[in-house]
């Protein structure tokens, strides 16, 4: 018998293989097949029967490693849709839908690993004590304080390798009994170590009750937008829907969250209610553990999958509901092929399998909002916070008002804190400290503005591989590129003019943490950004400490804006709202509005109320103005108007075609040739409503030594983009030189 096999290769076709008669029964669609391909073996998926191809003798399938299909009919259909819509080969779509462990020929087995962990043994709350203990060992103090900011424990490897601490410093701390070092099994599921929380029992508000009623009577395949302000109790609505679908009707469900480690509270609430029915799919799992969870879902031992983007492919039968929490989050879009958006996949899957979809957000994406307005999605609204909580009052601190002379004075006096934190924000912080309340400070700076510049000639250290400036990091003191992770020592003199004054511009989270610690000597400060984690799980540990009241000020990047629910947080400060607002990207304002609204939403979730202070130099920008006024509708109106000329989504459908290569000229030529090719094609086969814009260098012109150009294709109808994209990727000739590559990003979330 002949079968068509989809292989994870960049080729838009399936391949025909022969299966022995004895195996023919098993060779059903959805079965994995190990096949010979150009002198090697590949693992593919059988997608159907095949006719005899002309002119070649099909090779034999090497083996069928599984007893039953690993891809159900439904998931196969979903992958076929994904392959077509995002213009990728079916085999690549299928590989994404399966757990990584199924990508190899061998049967997966869970792996157990151990790692060495350093943990603080002796607390040192008073500075005096600290000064004494570390009088002659400043290095030990630095390491001790770093450990503290990491939540009291961290992997030894992380400290010595990523943060470059000398092992002898750590040994010194251990010898003095200040820190202990032990072995720990890492392949344990972090959730099994977490306490099972008690389910909260709230009586739903009227608005919640209405939303639950409409969701539970939703039609098969219906998509709902649950637009609920921050703190309006969206999670309770999801949970009641799942209770109906999973417990009462015996169906299964998927809950998507932007990132598990950043939203442990949300996940805990689901675990509290549904216990071991839940499989939590997260990045801390090993491939083997992930495979175990996948099996549990496929065999129906667990019926709710909770996870980030890829959980949308959970092998559940009899699907009743899909929840997409914080649907506006850009992490739902995959950055590599297939460049799918989990929200769109969710909607397609639900429609095919007769499930209900809920997209939840306080700040829905414009795409979703327009669909809700047109009636394509059903709109549910939670206009107010639940319980006694009210939306916080938001005030703007106009940084332009700070007289230049004052800044100059501060600089002269070495008062660096004043350069980042205004008097208003500083006094609000000390007020919260006095009252024993918590504060959150958003410093969205990492990767943008903490760079080093020569005071005389203006030289800025750039990455040798990418066209962006290097970010200054302390502990260890290095310059780091946030695209390619290139790192180099800090220059003490300017390589261009030999000037000796290298000034630090902008302040990153690390410096602000230090300045805050100097100013508020008794405050317990925790920092959360990509550097404070020895594994992604460290985020959850920091958040647990905030929850337990062990942190007074939580300082961090946009990571701290997601779904946190801490009633004792009464102050949120945004150090610089303008970061990112001027990025050359049509979604820059939208992202800024979402971030400000979301982070503001962390304040005042308890009876004590809350206040938000936003420092900005563009208080009149509509993203800032509307966030301050809690005015989502006003923002949408203005933003939609701003995307008419030139047209951008959701006013038009968009694909971003990116050309990259190792030479600048080769890349530019390829982009130009492609544009000419596309124009010629459109002349020959006119597609009304389709336009090609560009070519132009990408806003970030070079990443990891590859030059980048792009072309935008806009269309009124999605089907035209599908057709044109496919035709282009299949036929446009890419010369075999300069490692030239073409990628197509459909419905891009960013154009950088
Ligand atoms: P959102 O996701 O909409 O920002 P959450 O789901 O996190 O809001 O809910 C905010 C808080 O309100 C949570 O602590 C939750 O337990 C609580 N809560 C939810 N519903 C109610 C209710 N009906 N009455 C009182 N408290 C509620
Ligand atoms: Zn770089």
């Amino acid at each position: 018998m002949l079968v068509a096999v989809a292989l994870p290769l960049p080729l838009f076709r399936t391949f025909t293989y022969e299966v022995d008669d004895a195996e023919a029964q098993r060779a059903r669609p959805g079965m994995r097949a190990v096949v010979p391909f150009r002198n090697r073996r590949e693992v593919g998926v059988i997608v159907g029967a095949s006719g005899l191809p002309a002119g070649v003798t099909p090779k034999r399938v090497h083996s069928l490693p599984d007893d039953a299909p690993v891809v159900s009919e439904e998931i196969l259909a979903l992958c076929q849709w994904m392959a077509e819509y995002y213009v990728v080969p079916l085999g690549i779509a299928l590989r994404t839908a399966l757990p990584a462990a199924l990508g190899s020929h061998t049967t997966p087995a869970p792996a157990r690993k151990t790692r060495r962990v350093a943990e603080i043994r002796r607390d040192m709350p008073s500075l005096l004590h600290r000064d004494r203990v570390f009088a002659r060992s400043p290095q030990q103090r630095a390491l001790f304080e770093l450990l503290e900011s990491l939540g009291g424990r961290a992997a030894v490897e992380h400290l010595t390798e990523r943060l470059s601490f000398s092992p002898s410093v750590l040994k010194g701390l251990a010898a003095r009994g200040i820190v202990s070092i032990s072995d720990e099994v890492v392949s344990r599921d972090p959730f099994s170590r977490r306490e099972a929380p008690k389910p909260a029992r709230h009586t739903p508000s009227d608005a919640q009750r209405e939303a639950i009623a409409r969701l539970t009577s939703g039609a098969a395949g219906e998509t709902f937008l649950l637009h609920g302000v921050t703190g309006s109790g969206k999670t309770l609505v999801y949970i009641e829907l799942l209770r109906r679908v999973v417990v009462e009707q015996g169906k299964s469900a998927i809950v998507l969250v932007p990132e598990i480690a950043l939203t442990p509270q949300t996940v805990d609430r689901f675990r509290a209610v549904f216990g071991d029915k839940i499989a939590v799919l997260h990045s801390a799992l090993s491939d083997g553990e992930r495979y175990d969870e996948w099996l549990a879902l496929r065999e129906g031992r667990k019926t709710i999958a909770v996870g980030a983007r890829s959980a949308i492919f959970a092998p559940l039968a009899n699907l009743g509901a899909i929840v997409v929490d914080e649907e506006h989050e850009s992490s739902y879009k995959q950055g590599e092929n297939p460049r799918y958006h989990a929200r769109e996949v969710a909607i397609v899957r639900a429609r095919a399998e007769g499930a209900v979809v809920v997209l939840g957000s306080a700040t829905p994406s414009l795409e979703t909002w327009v669909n809700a307005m047109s009636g394509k999605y059903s709109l549910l609204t939670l206009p107010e916070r639940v319980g006694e909580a009210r939306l916080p009052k938001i005030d703007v601190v106009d940084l332009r008002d700070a007289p230049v002379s004052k800044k100059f004075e501060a600089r002269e006096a070495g008062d660096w804190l004043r350069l980042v934190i205004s008097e208003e924000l500083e006094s609000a912080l000390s007020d919260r400290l006095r009252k024993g309340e918590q504060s959150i400070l958003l410093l969205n700076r990492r990767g943008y503005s903490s760079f080093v510049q020569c005071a005389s000639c203006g030289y800025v250290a750039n990455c040798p591989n990418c066209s962006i400036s290097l970010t200054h990091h302390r502990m260890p003191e290095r310059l780091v590129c946030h695209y390619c992770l290139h790192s180099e020592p800090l220059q003490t003199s300017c390589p261009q003019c030999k000037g000796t004054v290298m000034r630090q511009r902008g302040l990153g989270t690390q410096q602000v943490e230090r300045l805050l610690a100097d100013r508020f000597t008794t405050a317990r400060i925790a920092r959360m950004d990509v550097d404070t984690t020895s594994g992604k799980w460290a985020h959850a540990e920091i958040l647990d400490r905030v929850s337990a009241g062990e942190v007074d000020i939580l300082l961090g990047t946009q990571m701290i804006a997601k779904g946190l629910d801490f009633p004792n947080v009464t102050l949120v400060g945004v150090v610089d709202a303008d970061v990112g607002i001027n990025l050359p990207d049509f979604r820059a304002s939208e992202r800024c509005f979402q971030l400000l609204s979301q982070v503001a939403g962390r304040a005042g979730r308890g009876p004590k109320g809350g206040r938000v202070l936003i420092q900005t130099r563009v208080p009149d920008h509509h993203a800032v103005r509307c966030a301050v006024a809690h005015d989502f509708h006003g923002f949408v109106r203005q933003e939609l108007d701003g995307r008419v000329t030139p047209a951008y989504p959701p006013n038009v459908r968009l694909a971003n075609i990116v050309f990259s290569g190792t030479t600048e000229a080769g890349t530019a030529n390829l982009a130009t040739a492609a544009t000419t090719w596309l124009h010629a094609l459109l002349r020959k086969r006119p597609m009304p409503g389709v336009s090609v814009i560009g070519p132009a260098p990408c806003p970030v012109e070079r990443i990891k030594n590859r030059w980048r150009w792009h072309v935008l294709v806009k269309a009124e109808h999605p089907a035209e983009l599908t057709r044109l994209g496919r035709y282009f990727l299949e036929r446009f000739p890419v010369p075999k030189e300069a490692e030239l590559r073409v990628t197509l990003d459909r419905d891009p979330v960013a154009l950088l």
Side-chain angles (χ1 to χ4, degrees):
M1 182 174 89
L2 296 178
V3 291
V5 176
L7 296 175
L9 303 171
L11 297 165
F12 286 96
R13 49 166 296 200
T14 55
F15 297 85
T16 301
Y17 287 92
E18 190 176 358
V19 182
D20 289 342
D21 288 344
E23 296 268 63
Q25 273 296 318
R26 291 176 59 224
R28 281 173 289 153
M31 286 291 278
R32 284 193 306 157
V34 180
V35 298
F37 187 85
R38 292 194 190 137
N39 304 329
R40 54 173 199 267
R41 278 189 194 151
E42 290 280 350
V43 183
V45 174
I46 297 178
V47 295
S50 172
L52 189 66
V56 285
T57 327
K59 292 187 190 153
R60 270 169 194 282
V61 164
H62 175 265
S63 62
L64 304 173
D66 310 302
D67 300 329
V70 295
V71 181
S72 65
E73 239 172 85
E74 289 83 8
I75 299 284
L76 182 55
L78 189 64
C79 287
Q80 269 153 345
W81 171 81
M82 190 158 67
E84 166 141 341
Y85 186 83
Y86 293 103
V87 202
V88 288
L90 178 57
I92 289 180
L94 281 162
R95 184 187 53 188
T96 300
L98 287 173
L102 289 176
S104 73
H105 318 181
T106 46
T107 334
R112 284 176 98 74
K113 263 188 5 208
T114 62
R115 64 170 184 178
R116 299 180 63 68
V117 178
E119 189 163 3
I120 291 182
R121 278 282 154 240
R122 210 194 304 159
D123 271 337
M124 271 177 260
S126 95
L127 269 186
L128 219 63
H129 184 198
R130 232 168 248 211
D131 287 343
R132 204 155 23 80
V133 172
F134 295 117
R136 254 163 291 134
S137 43
Q139 290 241 52
Q140 288 189 0
R141 180 178 187 151
L143 180 52
F144 177 85
E145 291 181 344
L146 177 72
L147 261 177
E148 236 176 8
S149 74
L150 294 174
R153 67 200 308 270
V156 170
E157 189 190 359
H158 180 67
L159 298 173
T160 55
E161 276 167 31
R162 260 197 73 196
L163 302 174
S164 304
F165 267 99
S166 138
S168 65
V169 178
L170 188 57
K171 277 206 199 104
L173 279 174
R176 300 174 68 187
I178 299 170
V179 161
S180 71
I181 298 173
S182 55
D183 280 323
E184 171 188 273
V185 176
V186 271
S187 66
R188 294 288 311 275
D189 178 354
F191 275 99
S192 66
R193 269 180 291 160
R194 289 175 76 79
E195 245 171 75
K198 280 192 202 67
R201 270 293 179 180
H202 295 297
T203 314
S205 65
D206 289 345
Q208 284 173 320
R209 197 169 314 124
E210 158 88 11
I212 295 162
R214 287 193 49 204
L215 283 171
T216 48
S217 56
E222 188 166 355
T223 300
F224 291 88
L225 166 60
L226 178 61
H227 178 216
V229 298
T230 55
S232 59
K234 293 185 283 293
T235 316
L236 181 139
V237 173
Y238 305 148
I239 286 176
E240 291 310 313
L241 168 66
L242 260 56
R243 210 194 288 277
R244 178 68 64 92
V245 166
V246 178
V247 181
E248 292 175 20
Q249 302 175 349
K251 296 185 181 173
S252 64
I254 298 174
V255 179
L256 299 183
V257 294
E259 200 184 317
I260 295 269
L262 295 180
T263 49
Q265 285 183 314
T266 309
V267 176
D268 281 345
R269 285 187 200 151
F270 283 97
R271 287 171 60 234
V273 177
F274 302 105
D276 54 12
K277 279 195 169 55
I278 293 191
V280 184
L281 307 170
H282 54 82
S283 53
L285 296 181
S286 67
D287 285 353
E289 287 165 322
R290 196 168 248 272
Y291 174 69
D292 286 348
E293 294 300 293
W294 183 87
L295 266 187
L297 290 166
R298 194 178 71 160
E299 291 167 0
R301 285 179 280 128
K302 296 187 175 179
T303 48
I304 301 175
V306 179
R309 175 172 81 219
S310 64
I312 194 55
F313 303 110
L316 289 161
N318 200 11
L319 193 63
I322 305 179
V323 172
V324 185
D325 191 24
E326 309 291 358
E327 67 86 30
H328 62 276
E329 281 281 337
S330 50
S331 64
Y332 283 126
K333 179 93 155 93
Q334 176 149 293
E336 56 189 59
N337 273 345
R339 290 174 157 74
Y340 71 93
H341 197 299
R343 175 185 65 217
E344 307 308 315
V345 179
I347 291 167
V348 171
R349 179 165 185 188
R351 204 172 293 145
E353 300 182 35
V356 160
V357 185
V358 199
L359 312 176
S361 178
T363 52
S365 63
L366 260 58
E367 279 81 353
T368 297
W369 185 254
V370 163
N371 282 331
M373 289 298 101
S374 74
K376 202 169 152 198
Y377 303 163
S378 312
L379 179 63
L380 308 170
T381 313
L382 305 177
E384 278 160 20
R385 286 197 163 176
V386 281
E388 292 165 57
R390 297 288 161 264
L391 282 172
K393 180 168 178 348
I394 306 183
D395 291 309
V396 160
V397 181
D398 188 342
L399 294 179
R400 295 172 309 180
D401 290 348
V404 178
S405 62
K406 245 185 156 174
K407 287 214 109 170
F408 187 74
E409 270 170 36
R411 198 183 286 273
E412 290 293 284
D415 184 2
W416 300 105
L417 185 70
R418 180 62 68 245
L419 297 179
V420 251
I421 308 271
S422 60
E423 277 177 51
E424 288 98 315
L425 186 49
E426 181 178 339
S427 81
L429 282 168
S430 55
D431 177 60
R432 295 314 182 281
L433 286 169
R434 228 183 359 259
K435 294 196 199 137
E437 297 171 2
Q438 294 170 298
S439 305
I440 287 182
L441 267 189
L442 173 76
L443 182 65
N444 208 15
R445 258 218 164 106
R446 196 181 185 274
Y448 292 114
S449 32
S450 179
F451 55 91
V452 174
Q453 189 170 35
C454 170
S456 35
C457 77
Y459 163 87
V460 173
N462 279 320
C463 175
N465 313 319
C466 312
S467 53
I468 65 161
S469 58
L470 294 170
T471 303
H472 180 207
H473 282 248
R474 309 176 78 84
M475 288 214 292
E477 189 127 61
R478 308 281 295 171
L479 293 173
V480 178
C481 168
H482 284 240
Y483 276 99
C484 73
L485 302 183
H486 162 85
S487 108
E488 60 182 59
L490 195 65
Q491 292 117 335
T492 47
S493 63
C494 174
Q496 196 164 281
C497 76
K498 309 283 174 251
T500 51
V501 184
M502 296 299 283
R503 200 163 270 154
Q504 202 166 302
R505 306 294 307 274
L507 290 174
T509 40
Q510 292 181 342
Q511 289 95 318
V512 173
E513 183 189 16
R514 283 221 330 196
L515 295 171
L516 284 171
D518 288 347
R519 168 66 184 77
F520 303 112
T521 44
T522 56
R524 295 161 303 171
I525 301 169
R527 192 182 100 219
M528 206 159 108
D529 58 38
V530 248
D531 299 318
T532 54
T533 54
S534 46
K536 285 191 178 167
W537 209 250
H539 295 314
E541 283 163 10
I542 295 172
L543 295 178
D544 285 348
R545 286 204 298 138
V546 179
S547 183
E550 292 164 16
V551 169
D552 300 310
I553 302 175
L554 173 63
L555 167 73
T557 57
Q558 77 271 10
M559 283 183 176
I560 59 173
K562 296 178 210 279
L564 307 179
D565 184 37
F566 302 122
N568 200 35
V569 170
T570 58
L571 174 69
V572 165
V574 178
V575 173
D576 189 347
D578 316 351
V579 174
I581 215 170
N582 291 318
L583 286 179
D585 192 303
F586 72 95
R587 279 188 222 271
S589 304
E590 185 181 3
R591 219 167 280 134
C592 177
F593 172 77
Q594 287 165 346
L595 179 62
L596 294 179
S597 307
Q598 292 292 343
V599 78
R602 304 312 118 205
R605 293 183 148 241
K608 290 177 199 154
R611 183 174 181 217
V612 180
L613 280 172
I614 296 182
Q615 304 193 138
T616 176
R617 276 181 195 79
V618 288
D620 297 326
H621 191 291
H622 67 291
V624 176
R625 222 169 3 85
C626 295
V628 167
H630 299 291
D631 185 9
F632 174 75
H633 297 101
F635 174 77
V636 169
R637 231 176 296 123
Q638 289 196 42
E639 187 62 22
L640 280 177
D641 283 349
R643 295 192 198 173
V644 173
T645 34
Y648 276 110
N651 292 323
V652 71
R653 309 295 292 239
L654 188 65
N656 186 23
I657 306 181
V658 177
F659 306 85
S660 66
T662 53
T663 65
E664 188 175 11
T667 308
N669 289 343
L670 182 66
T672 310
T675 313
T676 313
W677 194 94
L678 283 166
H679 282 303
L681 177 70
L682 288 176
R683 265 196 308 277
K684 212 160 63 197
R685 305 187 178 193
M687 288 189 180
V690 172
S691 56
V692 175
I693 291 115
C698 293
V700 182
E701 270 192 1
R702 197 160 62 112
I703 296 179
K704 296 183 192 169
N705 269 327
R706 296 181 64 84
W707 295 90
R708 307 165 73 237
W709 278 61
H710 70 154
V711 167
L712 292 179
V713 184
K714 295 180 180 175
E716 273 165 33
H717 303 290
E720 288 165 341
L721 269 190
T722 310
R723 222 152 20 105
L724 188 69
R726 178 77 185 247
Y727 199 85
F728 173 73
L729 284 189
E730 279 186 356
R731 283 163 233 241
F732 172 66
V734 180
K736 293 217 179 316
E737 59 178 62
E739 290 175 39
L740 292 171
R741 238 180 275 151
V742 181
T743 56
L744 186 146
D745 185 4
R746 180 138 192 203
D747 305 334
V749 293
L751 298 181
L752 297 177

